């Protein structure tokens, strides 16, 4: 004899397992759910190859001591700040015109003479007023031509070139606070030594930072679309009425539908996590796995609840799949999946406060990348609260849709 | 009216009626297209002006000037003045990416040309951001030193720019995104129109048409193309009004967007024939649009990606469309190819896409 709660659980599980089988037999539904997160992950991955390596041509028309020194700095910093091509002026112009380089730097013939005219700094020199050096010696000029197609791209080139040019006069203008190297400040004409201290113990590379959050989109997309399509299909085929007449409580039936949605998400995410862990792409600090599992589970429950709301309120599988794709993508972007939310303008940050995916992505990054769990508790509270709200709302909408 | 025109008009009207019945679908398609504008705007907003707190314990003329130089140097920092406690809290909350502490005697020490230590705390939330924030400091220090004519500066750079009026990052991105919006809208609507014929099994009835069986279907695609053109025009108006971007050559902009609608409608029809189901189409086309986005020069001229990626870019019509759009709106040349060449290739793409779609539809209908 099976007790009431046990029977309820079995019925819930039966419906959930049935839903998972239904979803598994719909390859196009699976494709529709998988394509956006996979494409976005790929997009973020390829974007990382393009970060901070603009092609630059260097033309050295002077070959004295100072010209060779600054050319050496350019070569030494090539690869880190830009990719460098050393060439003559005619070829550099050709490369620039055909957009094979984004900037041309010319060390002009008089460079050495001009640099030699300016004496190196003396430690006891004092500036008495701000116009002190207006009559001083004019510095040697590097001639730079920049393709400033947009401000971001041009800024990247200018920052990189500025670092190189600055290195000539002041190699130690920025020093990591951890370094105890010899202070060469007497030679630094900028008269500042900026000591940088990083606030986190480890720095995450951009590939991991940008690609890993696509896991949240994956759970969201599969959970929302899976649950929504199962709800929409029941309504389209008229099987929803059969469910309403079934000799089981509506709580059990709705729970079965939502559990099906959660299982569908987990069915996709677990193998991805396994592959990511085996390949080393996903390697959380020790002890963070329970937090990660909790986070994925809460996100999957939110996705199932949201999917139930969409599936029960919209008509037609096409509309449901489109709405699910649009909503998931907006939630992902506004949640900071493609950027760092904190650095958005304040009005946009206020909007994202109400986007639950923000907390999922924050929590995911915190538990995966950083040794501490700073803010994870708050993230989980919001996420679990959202899960409760959308599950209740989803249940109400689904039950109403079945009764229509 | 000839039977051909009647069949074409019939298909057109039937599709318009269908779309009127599925207003939600049309709205969702446009919303999907606008995602790109939102996406690139969010991306563009965080690319510059990283929020940086300055704790100015000095308050003098030179410390203000330092902060101003930091703020003005290459769009790197979005400077905010704070006291030490607020700055530390903001850094811990992630509201700012870095805090720069200007010491109490900064102005005096700078005036006396005494070496000064400045502490700079950086939130290394990711390597790219930390690198960008650190890289901005030498530029700011150099600008400050040059402005104040500090002695001992032996090298400066004299820059000349290719473009007189530099375009902001977000206005650049949203213009590129219009080509992708055209792809999403036109592709999805055309693919859905064809896939619906399969799902409702009405494709066979086309053979009974008194004209060529593809004429009514072409009428349907014309209708989806017309609706797409209106949707893209709405997106373009959103860019013009919302982002205050005034096209330098509006006719050129209209022409390239229309060409995009034609090309992507034909590509959408081919996708509809391949997939034969409406359900996954929007997600599939959205995913394909992201792939196009990768390599179309949407962020910066594609040529700077290197030979390999630039070569691949040529296989996508979006590359040529972005090249023309940036010229039409901002007056920029972002492809080594001339605008004439880009237009010729796009027209070639339109003809090729139309021929392939026609052949594929003919095969589908005859089969």
């Amino acid at each position: 004899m099976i007790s009431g709660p046990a029977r309820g659980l079995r019925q819930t599980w039966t419906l959930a397992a049935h839903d998972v089988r239904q979803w598994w037999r719909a390859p196009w539904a699976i494709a529709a759910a998988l394509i956006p997160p996979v494409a976005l992950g790929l997009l973020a991955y390829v974007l990382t190859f393009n970060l901070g390596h603009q092609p630059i041509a260097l033309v050295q028309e002077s070959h004295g001591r100072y010209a060779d020194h600054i050319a050496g700095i350019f070569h030494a910093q090539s690869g880190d700040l830009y990719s460098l091509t050393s060439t003559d002026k005619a070829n550099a112009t050709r490369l620039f015109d055909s957009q094979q380089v984004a900037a041309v730097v010319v060390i002009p013939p008089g460079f050495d003479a001009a640099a030699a005219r300016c004496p190196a700094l003396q430690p006891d020199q004092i500036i008495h007023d701000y116009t002190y050096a207006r009559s001083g010696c004019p510095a040697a000029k590097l001639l730079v031509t920049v393709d400033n197609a947009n401000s971001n791209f041009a800024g990247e080139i200018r920052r990189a070139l500025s670092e190189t040019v600055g290195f000539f006069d002041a190699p130690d203008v920025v020093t990591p606070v951890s370094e105890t190297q010899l202070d060469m400040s007497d030679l630094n004409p900028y008269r500042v030594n900026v000591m940088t201290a990083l606030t986190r113990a480890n720095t995450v590379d951009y590939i991991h930072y940008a690609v890993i959050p696509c896991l949240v989109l994956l759970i969201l997309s599969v959970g929302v679309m899976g649950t929504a399509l199962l709800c929409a299909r029941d309504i389209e085929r008229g099987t929803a009425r059969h469910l309403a007449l079934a000799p089981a409580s509506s709580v059990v039936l709705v729970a079965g539908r939502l559990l099906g949605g959660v299982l569908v998400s987990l069915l996709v995410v677990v193998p991805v996590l396994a592959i990511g862990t085996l390949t080393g792409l996903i390697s959380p600090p020790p002890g963070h796995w329970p937090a990660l599992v909790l986070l994925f589970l809460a996100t999957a429950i939110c996705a199932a609840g949201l999917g139930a709301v969409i599936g029960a309120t919209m008509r037609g599988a096409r509309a449901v799949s489109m709405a699910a794709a649009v909503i998931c993508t907006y939630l992902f972007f506004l949640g900071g999946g493609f950027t760092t939310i904190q650095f958005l303008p304040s009005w946009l940050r206020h909007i994202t406060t109400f986007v639950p995916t923000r907390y999922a992505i924050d929590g995911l990054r915190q538990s995966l990348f950083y040794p501490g769990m700073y803010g994870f508790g708050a993230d989980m509270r919001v996420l679990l609260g959202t899960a409760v709200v959308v599950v209740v709302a989803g249940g109400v909408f689904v039950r109403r849709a079945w009764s229509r | 009216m000839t039977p051909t025109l009647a069949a074409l008009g019939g298909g057109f009207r039937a599709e318009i009626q269908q779309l009127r019945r599925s207003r939600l679908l049309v709205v969702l398609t446009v919303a999907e297209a606008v995602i790109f504008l939102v996406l690139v705007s969010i991306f563009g907003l965080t690319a510059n002006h990283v929020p940086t707190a300055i704790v100015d314990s000095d308050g003098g003329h030179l410390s203000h000037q330092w902060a101003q130089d930091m703020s003005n140097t290459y769009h790197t920092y979005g400077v905010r003045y704070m006291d030490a406690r607020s700055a530390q809290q903001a850094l811990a909350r992630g509201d700012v990416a870095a805090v720069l502490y200007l010491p109490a005697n900064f102005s005096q020490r700078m005036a006396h040309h005494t070496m000064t230590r400045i502490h700079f705390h950086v939130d290394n939330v990711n390597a790219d951001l930390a690198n960008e924030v650190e890289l901005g400091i030498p530029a700011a220090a150099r600008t400050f030193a040059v402005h104040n004519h500090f002695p001992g500066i032996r090298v400066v750079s004299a820059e000349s720019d290719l473009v007189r009026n530099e375009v902001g990052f977000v206005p650049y991105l949203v213009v590129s995104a219009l080509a992708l919006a055209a792809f999403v809208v036109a592709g999805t609507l055309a693919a859905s129109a064809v896939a619906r014929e399969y799902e409702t099994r009405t494709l066979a009835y086309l053979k009974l048409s008194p004209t060529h069986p593809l004429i009514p279907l072409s009428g349907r695609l014309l209708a989806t193309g017309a609706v797409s053109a209106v949707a893209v025009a709405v997106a373009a108006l959103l860019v013009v009004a919302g982002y205050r971007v005034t096209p330098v050559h509006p006719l050129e902009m209209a022409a390239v967007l229309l060409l995009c609608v034609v090309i992507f409608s034909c590509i959408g029809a081919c996708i509809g024939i391949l997939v034969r189901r409406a359900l996954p189409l929007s997600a599939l086309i959205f995913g394909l649009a992201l792939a196009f986005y990768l390599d179309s020069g949407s962020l910066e001229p594609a040529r700077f990606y290197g030979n390999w990626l630039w070569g691949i870019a040529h296989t996508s019509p979006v590359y040529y469309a972005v090249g023309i759009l940036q010229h039409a709106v901002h007056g920029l040349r972002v492809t080594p190819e001339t605008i004439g060449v880009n237009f010729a290739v796009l027209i070639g793409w339109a003809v090729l896409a139309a021929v392939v779609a026609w052949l594929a539809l003919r095969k589908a209908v005859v089969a």
Side-chain angles (χ1 to χ4, degrees):
Chain A
M1 191 74 180
I2 304 172
S3 65
R7 190 167 55 239
L9 280 176
R10 204 175 71 174
Q11 286 168 334
T12 302
W13 178 254
T14 305
L15 186 61
H18 174 263
D19 278 357
V20 172
R21 278 196 297 273
Q22 287 280 314
W23 183 80
W24 191 249
R25 285 185 205 136
W28 286 116
I30 298 172
L34 292 184
I35 289 165
V38 171
L40 265 175
L42 197 67
L43 171 70
Y45 182 71
V46 174
L47 275 177
T48 58
F49 292 115
N50 187 40
L51 289 170
H53 287 91
Q54 300 300 346
I56 286 171
L58 177 68
V59 180
Q60 192 177 345
E61 294 184 329
S62 175
H63 293 278
R65 179 182 155 205
Y66 296 116
D68 286 346
H69 179 50
I70 199 157
I73 297 172
F74 269 102
H75 285 287
Q77 294 189 334
S78 167
D80 286 337
L81 299 178
Y82 35 71
S83 57
L84 191 72
T85 308
S86 287
T87 184
D88 57 52
K89 200 165 188 176
N91 194 41
T93 307
R94 190 187 63 77
L95 292 173
F96 188 73
D97 289 344
S98 60
Q99 296 184 348
Q100 291 182 63
V101 292
V104 176
V105 180
V106 180
I107 304 171
F111 184 85
D112 270 282
R117 267 201 306 275
C118 293
L121 195 62
Q122 299 304 309
D124 55 350
Q125 275 183 283
I126 295 174
I127 302 176
H128 292 294
D129 66 81
Y130 309 130
T131 56
Y132 160 78
R134 274 184 196 154
S135 58
C137 95
K141 281 182 181 169
L142 283 179
L143 308 176
V144 179
T145 312
V146 176
D147 184 342
N148 55 331
N150 68 55
S151 58
N152 179 63
F153 162 72
E156 221 171 81
I157 298 169
R158 287 170 186 145
R159 271 192 295 273
L161 291 178
S162 216
E163 164 85 4
T164 303
V165 174
F167 200 87
F168 182 89
D169 281 323
D172 61 339
V173 70
V174 175
T175 318
V177 78
S178 54
E179 275 187 26
T180 51
Q181 66 183 40
L182 183 67
D183 184 7
M184 296 166 71
S185 56
D186 287 350
L187 305 176
N188 176 348
Y190 302 161
R191 306 318 281 160
V192 288
N193 179 215
V194 180
M195 304 287 286
T196 55
L198 302 178
T199 58
R200 297 175 196 254
N202 57 326
T203 306
V204 183
D205 60 58
Y206 188 73
I207 291 183
H208 284 82
Y209 190 82
V211 176
I212 292 293
C214 289
L215 277 174
V216 170
L217 180 62
L218 184 69
I219 300 176
L220 207 61
S221 183
V222 175
V224 170
M225 206 166 285
T227 317
L229 285 174
L230 288 166
C231 290
R233 185 178 292 185
D234 270 342
I235 295 165
E236 266 185 345
R237 292 179 177 175
T239 46
R241 286 201 184 124
H242 298 188
L243 283 169
L245 295 172
S249 81
S250 53
V251 174
V252 166
L253 293 173
V254 169
R257 171 56 40 88
L258 294 174
L259 180 62
V262 173
L263 289 176
V264 159
S265 290
L266 298 181
L267 204 66
V268 173
V269 170
V270 169
V272 172
L273 275 178
I275 293 167
T277 310
L278 286 174
T279 55
L281 187 71
I282 297 169
S283 55
H288 283 207
W289 270 111
L292 265 181
V293 170
L294 185 64
L295 186 128
F296 286 139
L297 208 57
T299 311
I301 295 169
C302 285
L306 185 61
V309 173
I310 295 170
T313 51
M314 288 192 168
R315 291 282 168 270
R318 239 171 86 198
V320 165
S321 87
M322 278 185 81
V326 169
I327 289 169
C328 290
T329 313
Y330 272 114
L331 284 175
F332 181 68
F333 286 123
L334 287 175
F338 215 60
T339 179
T340 309
I341 283 292
Q342 286 89 342
F343 306 148
L344 289 172
S346 58
W347 62 270
L348 196 51
R349 256 186 304 148
H350 292 318
I351 292 174
T352 63
T353 310
F354 302 99
V355 179
T357 38
R358 170 182 171 170
Y359 304 94
I361 290 166
D362 271 355
L364 179 68
R365 282 178 176 151
Q366 193 62 44
S367 54
L368 257 182
F369 301 144
Y370 308 112
M373 296 291 278
Y374 181 81
F376 185 81
D379 291 335
M380 281 312 297
R381 278 195 292 278
V382 175
L383 210 53
L384 289 171
T386 309
V388 170
V389 171
V390 289
V391 161
V392 170
V396 170
F397 278 108
V398 168
R399 190 65 193 85
R400 274 191 196 162
W402 285 348
S403 305
R404 260 183 233 137
Chain B
M1 190 186 281
T2 63
T4 304
L5 274 178
L8 196 71
F12 187 91
R13 279 193 301 278
E15 187 60 30
I16 293 289
Q17 278 174 3
Q18 175 68 38
L19 289 172
R20 282 178 67 181
R21 281 199 294 270
S22 336
R23 280 180 199 157
L24 179 63
L25 276 178
V26 177
V27 169
L28 286 171
T29 308
V30 175
E32 211 172 20
V34 175
I35 277 180
F36 275 110
L37 301 183
V38 177
L39 184 163
V40 299
S41 301
I42 292 175
F43 183 72
L45 281 170
T46 50
N48 298 130
H49 303 292
V50 177
T52 305
I54 290 196
V55 178
D56 185 1
S57 305
D58 178 63
H61 165 73
L62 286 178
S63 65
H64 274 112
Q65 198 194 336
W66 171 278
Q68 198 153 5
D69 284 339
M70 249 182 104
S71 183
N72 295 338
T73 307
Y74 311 149
H75 314 281
T76 309
Y77 303 105
V79 167
R80 303 170 188 180
Y81 283 100
M82 291 184 186
D83 59 59
R85 197 171 161 206
S86 308
Q88 279 161 6
Q89 285 171 347
L91 188 67
R93 278 197 308 269
D95 290 344
V96 295
V99 181
L100 187 104
Y101 296 89
L102 290 173
N105 51 1
F106 179 82
S107 293
Q108 195 189 0
R109 289 178 74 89
M110 282 290 104
H112 286 88
H113 201 210
T114 313
M115 191 68 195
T116 304
R117 278 263 157 83
I118 298 175
H119 288 275
F120 190 44
H121 292 183
V122 179
D123 182 355
N124 51 323
V125 63
N126 70 57
D128 178 51
L129 189 81
N131 190 37
E132 192 173 315
V133 167
E134 286 184 338
L135 207 55
I137 288 293
R142 197 163 72 93
T143 306
F144 179 80
V146 171
H147 276 173
N148 286 293
H149 308 283
F150 278 17
I153 298 170
R154 289 175 295 168
V155 180
V156 293
S157 54
E159 182 182 318
S160 55
D161 294 330
L162 190 67
V163 181
R164 188 176 295 173
N165 297 318
E166 198 164 289
V167 178
F169 193 37
V170 174
Y172 184 94
L173 293 175
V174 289
V175 167
S176 305
L178 281 176
L180 296 158
F183 176 67
V184 171
V185 178
T188 307
L189 289 181
S192 297
V194 174
R196 203 186 318 113
E197 297 287 338
Y198 280 100
E199 284 186 334
T200 54
R201 296 168 197 269
T202 48
L203 210 58
Y205 294 114
L206 291 175
K207 291 177 195 166
L208 304 174
S209 165
T211 61
H212 192 285
L214 290 190
I215 301 294
L217 203 53
S218 304
R220 281 187 179 275
L221 291 178
L222 270 179
T224 63
V227 173
S228 305
V230 173
V232 172
V234 170
L237 282 175
L238 190 71
V239 167
V240 171
Y243 294 83
R244 294 164 199 243
V245 171
T246 312
V248 180
H249 309 290
L251 283 178
E252 189 181 323
M253 181 185 178
V256 71
L257 287 176
L258 264 180
L259 260 177
C260 283
V261 167
V262 172
I263 294 167
F264 298 137
S265 292
C266 295
I267 292 176
C270 295
I271 292 172
I273 295 164
L274 278 174
V275 177
R276 299 185 181 195
R277 278 175 181 80
L279 178 68
L281 282 176
S282 61
L284 180 65
I285 287 173
F286 186 72
L288 279 175
L290 288 172
F292 277 138
Y293 184 82
L294 286 177
D295 200 17
S296 61
S298 303
L299 299 171
E300 62 189 50
R303 187 67 188 94
F304 301 141
Y305 294 165
N307 290 337
W308 189 68
L309 282 173
W310 181 61
I312 295 173
H314 283 81
T315 61
S316 152
V318 180
Y319 168 79
Y320 305 97
V322 167
I324 300 170
L325 274 171
Q326 291 294 352
H327 180 259
V329 178
H330 297 306
L332 296 174
R333 189 175 152 243
V334 296
T335 59
E337 296 85 6
T338 62
I339 298 303
V341 170
N342 284 338
F343 256 118
V345 176
L346 263 195
I347 291 167
W349 255 101
V351 172
L352 180 73
V355 169
V356 171
W358 180 270
L359 292 174
L361 284 170
R362 195 175 70 174
K363 193 179 169 194
V365 172
V366 171

